[in-house]
Amino acid sequence: MARRPRYAIMNGIRYPEMFSPKCFREALEYKPEPGDVFICTYPKCGTTWIQHVALYIFRKGRKIENPRHCLKLSPFIDQLGKEGIDGMPRPGAFKTHLPFPYISYSSKAKYIFVSRDPKDCCVSRYYHTKFFPGFDFENGEFNDFFELFMSGELGYNDYFDHLLSWYPYRNDSNVFYTRYEDMKKDIKSVIMKLSKFLGKEYLNAIEMDNNVLNNIILYSGFDHMKMKMSETYKKRDEGKYSELEYEGFKHIVDFTASLEPTKISSERNFFRKGLIGDWRSHFSSEQKERMDRKFLEKFKGTEIIQWYPLE
């Protein structure tokens, strides 16, 4: 294999090498407090989308004037550790990609989980990895990345194991489960269900004022997030703002600078297409057959087989 993305390993789990080991360990060791809300997904399965949906439900549709503040209002604790956890205003939701065995589970906390078709996840994650210089994978080929996805040699380990780790808890009263595909099909329904899950006051706010629902849909929509948040991440990675001087952000900037990465393509963007079925433009027939075979082997006897019927 010509090139692999840069990952480190802690306690048996791979994570981006650009992340501060101290911050990542703090995320692993965090013990939930009553009322905590976690967004727990495998990378590129709709994490940022559901993160913004939850954020605007908590805000009852109120716009965030400075999109950079989203990084504080709903922090990615794997990057920021205790500093991000302590700095988040409540109520709010932490973002993490940790599989179930690596997160402290509490009946007094709430967990939001989103799944996505593994083929689309693989393609989306490939481009995310390719165009973020901290992974040092600018010249990486899809065929190489596909092999890493199939073998589970990526950050947060194997997609299939990750989904299976959360699957037994999908019907717990403190777990909210949805699919990326459900969000694309009927985001209004997902918002209503998630509002009820997060608390009656949030559902009441939507039912009393239709503008609340419309604003949640608008501000968490793909086009709005792409326009606002992509610039935020770009400036953060380049170290061009100081409002959120977290240790974890500084570590990413310094690590990336140390790599002297090649020129990044103009296509680089935290949000790419967000499509369903984009895998058809990337997978060979042999790759499709191999992933379908692993899908059936790993998920045999589970409802997941019905979630993503094979073509």
Side-chain angles (χ1 to χ4, degrees), residues 15-204:
Y15 67 98
E17 191 177 351
M18 71 182 95
F19 288 8
S20 159
K22 174 180 176 291
C23 292
F24 190 72
R25 184 174 297 282
E26 288 171 349
L28 286 171
E29 295 177 347
Y30 177 64
K31 303 299 181 185
E33 298 180 1
D36 278 353
V37 179
F38 294 85
I39 294 169
C40 314
T41 68
Y42 193 74
K44 306 311 294 180
C45 286
T47 321
T48 304
W49 190 3
I50 198 71
Q51 185 182 14
H52 279 71
V53 169
L55 177 57
Y56 282 106
I57 288 174
F58 282 131
R59 293 179 62 82
K60 299 177 182 177
R62 289 183 295 112
K63 185 178 181 180
I64 299 172
E65 295 298 335
N66 188 337
R68 286 177 280 187
H69 293 164
C70 291
L71 304 176
K72 179 177 182 179
L73 296 171
S74 185
F76 184 15
I77 63 173
D78 305 2
Q79 286 183 348
L80 303 182
K82 192 173 185 300
E83 197 172 12
I85 293 168
D86 293 344
M88 185 189 76
R90 309 295 180 107
F94 304 122
K95 166 184 168 180
T96 180
H97 291 310
L98 292 173
F100 187 87
Y102 291 89
I103 196 167
S104 296
Y105 186 74
S106 168
S107 61
K108 296 181 180 180
K110 293 184 177 182
Y111 302 84
I112 301 168
F113 184 81
V114 183
S115 68
R116 188 181 188 182
D117 185 310
K119 299 188 188 74
D120 281 334
C121 173
C122 178
V123 171
S124 180
R125 195 166 186 196
Y126 164 66
Y127 284 104
H128 175 84
T129 305
K130 181 180 177 68
F131 294 126
F132 272 74
F135 288 109
D136 196 20
F137 196 68
E138 294 85 7
N139 299 316
E141 299 293 335
F142 177 74
N143 289 341
D144 289 339
F145 191 85
F146 174 84
E147 297 300 329
L148 294 173
F149 190 93
M150 288 294 291
S151 63
E153 297 179 62
L154 294 173
Y156 301 96
N157 299 359
D158 184 77
Y159 161 94
F160 301 90
D161 291 339
H162 192 290
L163 180 49
L164 282 173
S165 76
W166 280 98
Y167 176 77
Y169 305 92
R170 69 197 182 283
N171 294 321
D172 286 10
S173 61
N174 64 328
V175 174
F176 178 87
Y177 163 76
T178 191
R179 301 184 309 159
Y180 182 88
E181 294 75 13
D182 296 328
M183 296 176 69
K184 292 287 287 186
K185 181 180 180 180
D186 189 357
I187 188 60
K188 288 185 179 180
S189 177
V190 173
I191 290 172
M192 296 298 287
K193 292 175 182 176
L194 181 56
S195 297
K196 181 179 180 180
F197 173 78
L198 292 175
K200 187 175 180 180
E201 68 174 285
Y202 305 112
L203 183 61
N204 288 344

Side-chain angles (χ1 to χ4, degrees), residues 215-245:
N215 286 345
I216 295 170
I217 294 172
L218 173 63
Y219 299 140
S220 66
F222 183 84
D223 291 340
H224 189 272
M225 288 193 300
K226 185 172 184 176
M227 177 179 63
K228 297 295 185 179
M229 293 305 294
S230 295
E231 183 66 22
T232 296
Y233 277 94
K234 182 179 179 180
K235 287 185 178 181
R236 184 207 69 182
D237 291 344
E238 295 173 351
K240 290 185 178 179
Y241 66 81
S242 60
E243 289 105 312
L244 302 174
E245 291 188 341

